[in-house]
Amino acid sequence: MSFMDRQPVSGSLLRENRRARLVRGTLRLANGAEIPIVVRNLSERGVGVTAKDKPPAIGELVTIRLPGSDDLAGVVRWLRNNAFGVELTGTVDTDAISATLQRQLARLQEQSDWTVSSLHRVNSPLSNGPRRRV
């Protein structure tokens, strides 16, 4: 399965450390079609992805393009609705992707004078149970 360390420990496999991320990217299928994706989590050798459109089939060869990274080639290993996992043929530098995203965020913050004041906080009233009998 994707994201797994192949070294057995006590008869089981260990998962690689994952970084939870919400990163937009592009997935290129073997036929050349490209679909927009959101990366949910990322490890050195695997990617957890969600596609808005129909996802690729298990076993399909794909290429993922993310900000701050070279193209990542891999194979779809599992599929659940529009979510799927890709086992990469190489490794990904998760720190480089994080650094790129942080630079993009800093640039957006510099370009914007929009700030949230404490006056705009949303205060939800405490619930004391249903207001009427159900």
Side-chain angles (χ1 to χ4, degrees):
M1 180 172 184
S2 181
F3 310 114
M4 301 293 265
D5 187 343
R6 306 278 187 233
Q7 300 298 319
V9 175
S10 301
S12 64
L13 297 175
L14 296 179
R15 291 181 121 164
E16 284 184 354
N17 289 332
R18 298 181 188 184
R19 290 185 174 199
R21 293 282 182 260
L22 288 177
V23 181
R24 289 184 185 197
T26 305
L27 181 83
R28 188 172 57 244
L29 304 173
N31 66 6
E34 293 189 354
I35 59 173
I37 58 168
V38 174
V39 171
R40 297 181 340 283
N41 60 56
L42 184 64
S43 71
E44 207 173 281
R45 294 181 297 195
V47 183
V49 180
T50 300
K52 184 177 180 181
D53 298 323
K54 182 182 174 195
I58 293 175
E60 187 168 350
L61 298 174
V62 296
T63 304
I64 297 173
R65 178 169 289 156
L66 298 175
S69 175
D70 295 331
D71 286 357
L72 308 169
V75 179
V76 176
R77 292 296 181 199
W78 60 266
L79 177 62
R80 189 175 312 117
N81 298 323
N82 285 6
F84 56 98
V86 176
E87 181 179 18
L88 302 174
T89 56
T91 59
V92 61
D93 186 354
T94 56
D95 292 331
I97 293 173
S98 293
T100 298
L101 294 173
Q102 288 172 355
R103 283 192 302 272
Q104 288 177 350
L105 179 59
R107 188 171 44 247
L108 289 173
Q109 288 173 339
E110 290 171 3
Q111 294 172 355
S112 172
D113 60 353
W114 186 78
T115 57
V116 177
S117 168
S118 62
L119 298 175
H120 299 291
R121 289 192 183 143
V122 176
N123 294 314
S124 299
L126 296 175
S127 174
N128 293 328
R131 293 184 182 174
R132 60 187 169 100
R133 290 186 176 259
V134 183

